[in-house]
Amino acid sequence: MIRLLILGGTSEARRLAGALVDAPGLEVVSSLAGRVRTPALPPGAVRIGGFGGPEGLAQWLRDNGIDAVIDATHPFAARMTAGAAAACAATGVPLLVLRRPGWTAGPGDDWHWVDSLSEAAARLPALGSRVFLTTGRQDLAAFARLDLWFLVRSVDPPEPPVPARMRVLLDRGPFRVEEERALIREYRIEVLVTKDSGGAMTAAKLTAAREAGIPVVVQRRPPLPAGVTAVPTAKDALAWIRALRGAGQRE
């Protein structure tokens, strides 16, 4: 029996848990950080909440007899990924990082890449005064002092400090292109700010921005910790698990 911990919260993590939850010889536990009030739960056993840093995670792996970890957290959950890498290195537990591919600009796109949201905020005044901000509820402090108007979309209400002039939309993807077109028209959006999250659930805004001819400020992903193995799809993660199970059977 292999005990697998999936660090989740993404659609890829939910699909992976669904594919593995009834697999013979495998026991799966999904862990969610608990930052969203009503998270979309994966199939199977679920724990919600933090571990108390890398040391806490390492101890949890030992206490629960975990044989392998798949980090399928959000591409911008850099602290969680670093903690998983440190905990797995300390315990000798194999770690795989599942990261969906990022977005790529195409013909007609006017993308401006930045390394931080502070850099994004510095770029905005030259790009437009009405901003569609889709960077999450915890990342508004960088924009709080700008004298611009913001349409802020997030799953839960944003945390202060926040911009003085803003409208909040509480919503969860997937989003359709026609819906994003309507938002851009209704709120007279002049610039979109987003993170390079990748995936299809929230990509429609990029198509709508291209059609509207408005610029997009895109935050680059943080780098992965040195030495970790990463794959782009749940199919690849399933192959990794099968290889682990085969190695265990041979032993």
Side-chain angles (χ1 to χ4, degrees):
M1 176 69 71
I2 290 180
R3 288 179 56 81
L4 171 68
L5 173 66
I6 298 176
L7 302 174
T10 61
S11 58
E12 289 81 12
R14 291 190 292 274
R15 285 197 294 269
L16 183 62
L20 294 174
V21 68
D22 293 322
L26 190 64
E27 186 176 347
V28 179
V29 178
S30 295
S31 177
L32 307 181
R35 294 179 179 175
V36 177
R37 293 179 181 176
T38 56
L41 296 178
V46 179
R47 70 171 300 280
I48 296 179
F51 292 95
E55 296 81 8
L57 175 55
Q59 190 60 51
W60 194 91
L61 298 179
R62 297 187 189 99
D63 292 345
N64 290 271
I66 298 299
D67 300 298
V69 176
I70 295 181
D71 173 6
T73 56
H74 192 276
F76 283 82
R79 183 178 298 178
M80 186 68 247
T81 298
C88 288
T91 56
V93 173
L95 170 68
L96 181 74
V97 176
L98 172 57
R99 284 290 183 274
R100 57 182 177 251
W103 291 315
T104 302
D109 284 321
D110 179 17
W111 288 13
H112 302 254
W113 289 93
V114 296
D115 291 317
S116 68
L117 292 182
S118 295
E119 184 181 352
R123 295 276 194 99
L124 282 181
L127 295 174
S129 61
R130 298 183 65 83
V131 184
F132 188 9
L133 192 58
T134 63
T135 58
R137 67 185 178 91
Q138 297 178 312
D139 297 312
L140 273 65
F143 307 93
R145 296 185 179 181
L146 292 179
D147 186 23
L148 306 174
W149 186 89
F150 291 88
L151 176 64
V152 176
R153 183 168 66 196
S154 60
V155 176
D156 290 326
E159 299 178 354
V162 298
R165 300 164 56 208
M166 71 174 188
R167 169 75 183 272
V168 177
L169 293 180
L170 299 183
D171 205 353
R172 188 199 307 265
F175 302 107
R176 297 180 299 172
V177 174
E178 53 266 34
E179 295 169 336
E180 305 294 57
R181 288 192 196 112
L183 286 179
I184 289 174
R185 287 196 302 268
E186 178 181 356
Y187 294 101
R188 306 190 309 280
I189 298 299
E190 298 173 358
V191 57
L192 166 68
V193 181
T194 190
K195 296 178 176 180
D196 183 21
S197 300
M201 287 187 65
T202 59
K205 61 192 173 188
L206 302 173
T207 301
R210 181 191 312 125
E211 293 177 352
I214 65 174
V216 181
V217 180
V218 186
Q219 183 185 3
R220 293 184 181 90
R221 294 180 175 189
L224 291 173
V228 302
T229 299
V231 296
T233 69
K235 182 178 179 180
D236 297 318
L238 289 171
W240 184 77
I241 287 294
R242 285 195 294 268
L244 281 182
R245 293 174 68 188
Q249 291 168 356
R250 289 192 295 273
E251 292 173 0

